[in-house]
Amino acid sequence: MLNVIIFLVGALIMFYMALRSMRARQQLRTKGVCVQATVSGTVQNRDGAAYVLEFTTAGGSHRLQYPKPAKGKPFAEGSVVTLYYDPDAPEKMFVEGDKSVLGAELLYAGIGVVLLVLMVGIMNR
């Protein structure tokens, strides 16, 4: 019985993480600011490599650092990307087409499904 509870809690945590990420992304799309930003290069910060995104708004010129995924197709320097961000909390941002974010959400959901299948298998034994 304890195994079933552990698998169920694990699955719920994975589904929660996937939904939280999707909700944060959707909230940025609806309530955040959407700009066209230019990838001006990469920098090394305390969290690893990051893209430097530059854009201009009515408030002036801005430079934000967007985390660079470890795998996947990189953004080319000089390319223009669609950036959604929260001006009150610039660390909350999302670049349209960033497959690493979508991949993480799918991974969380997939792990949740696997845990539920394992739980059902244990219950039927």
Side-chain angles (χ1 to χ4, degrees):
M1 182 64 181
L2 183 61
N3 290 340
V4 171
I5 293 171
I6 291 171
F7 281 114
L8 183 60
V9 168
L12 290 174
I13 290 170
M14 290 295 113
F15 289 132
Y16 169 75
M17 290 173 65
L19 288 173
R20 183 182 69 175
S21 176
M22 289 187 310
R23 184 171 178 237
R25 202 167 30 90
Q26 186 62 28
Q27 192 172 24
L28 282 174
R29 281 189 178 138
T30 56
K31 296 180 181 174
V33 175
C34 177
V35 295
Q36 298 298 312
T38 303
V39 179
S40 64
T42 58
V43 294
Q44 200 65 21
N45 62 22
R46 63 186 172 113
D47 298 325
Y51 294 109
V52 177
L53 304 178
E54 296 180 343
F55 58 95
T56 305
T57 63
S61 267
H62 305 281
R63 290 177 59 137
L64 294 177
Q65 293 181 10
Y66 186 76
K68 185 176 183 181
K71 294 183 179 179
K73 184 179 176 187
F75 298 125
E77 189 171 330
S79 64
V80 177
V81 296
T82 303
L83 171 69
Y84 296 93
Y85 77 102
D86 182 353
D88 298 329
E91 68 277 358
K92 295 179 183 177
M93 64 182 98
F94 170 71
V95 171
E96 189 72 39
D98 184 0
K99 291 182 174 52
S100 65
V101 173
L102 302 174
E105 292 169 355
L106 288 174
L107 179 66
Y108 295 144
I111 291 172
V113 168
V114 167
L115 289 174
L116 286 179
V117 168
L118 288 173
M119 181 189 74
V120 169
I122 288 173
M123 287 176 56
N124 289 335
R125 258 190 352 176

